[in-house]
Amino acid sequence: DAGVTQSPTHLIKTRGQQVTLRCSPKSGHDTVSWYQQALGQGPQFIFQYYEEEERQRGNFPDRFSGHQFPNYSSELNVNALLLGDSALYLCASSDGLAGEQYFGPGTRLTVT
Amino acid sequence: AQSVTQLDSQVPVFEEAPVELRCNYSSSVSVYLFWYVQYPNQGLQLLLKYLSGSTLVKGINGFEAEFNKSQTSFHLRKPSVHISDTAEYFCAVSPLPSGGSYIPTFGRGTSLIVHP
């Protein structure tokens, strides 16, 4: 049974560029949440998707947007990248909005 | 809103010694409590959780935690650590699901370093 998978593993972008990160949930899960983990910090909630709609959002600017597809996979898009966007981006999936969250290995984004 | 304070950023300990990682939280509503572990270059793995019932919660890999409502604490313990326990540990709290959803708030993490 495949767990949560994320791609790519690592990514290097330049300030001002745009990036798309991808997540496939654990089999049987229909809810995807995204987190940003800066170096030396705990993960911070970005947003959560269920039934292809954004259900909850954390304190992140509109430069951060997402999408959920009919197969429950999800994308995180970040526009106009800033140096401060450098972080590990974690995807977590769950069975329903209140289900236990299972985390993927993350995508390490470096903005230069 | 909820907040989590992990009182130690780093805890060094010798192999086979006991360890306690401290976590205090603040919330105006009832919460669920969690401990996660993150090994180098990996995502988070749930160690244990407190939802209700017994205040002593047992998790994977020999870890346990005790919920103390009066002290708003949820400290993680292990009676005898192994080298393989070296990792980053995160305490998290979440309000009881509202509208069907819960979102954990994480602490800044405690780095457990086990020396041979």
Side-chain angles (χ1 to χ4, degrees), chain A residues 34 44-48 54 56-61, chain B residues 103:
Chain A
W34 286 92
Q44 284 197 302
F45 173 71
I46 303 175
F47 42 53
Q48 182 180 64
E54 183 181 293
Q56 286 206 51
R57 188 179 183 93
N59 189 25
F60 279 80
Chain B
I103 303 298

Side-chain angles (χ1 to χ4, degrees), chain A residues 33 35 37 40-43 45 48 56 88 90 97-101 103-106, chain B residues 36 38 41-44 46 49 90 97-104 106-109:
Chain A
S33 301
Y35 294 82
Q37 186 179 13
Q41 305 291 322
F45 173 71
Q48 182 180 64
Q56 286 206 51
L88 180 67
L90 296 166
L97 290 167
E100 177 181 327
Q101 296 192 355
F103 285 80
Chain B
Y36 288 85
Q38 186 176 35
N41 301 313
Q42 294 187 29
L44 275 69
L46 181 66
K49 59 188 175 187
F90 293 95
S98 172
S101 179
Y102 84 87
I103 303 298
F106 289 86
R108 295 184 63 169

Side-chain angles (χ1 to χ4, degrees), chain A residues 79-94:
Chain A
N79 295 322
L81 284 167
L82 303 174
L83 294 179
D85 295 331
S86 295
L88 180 67
Y89 288 84
L90 296 166
C91 169
S93 72
S94 59

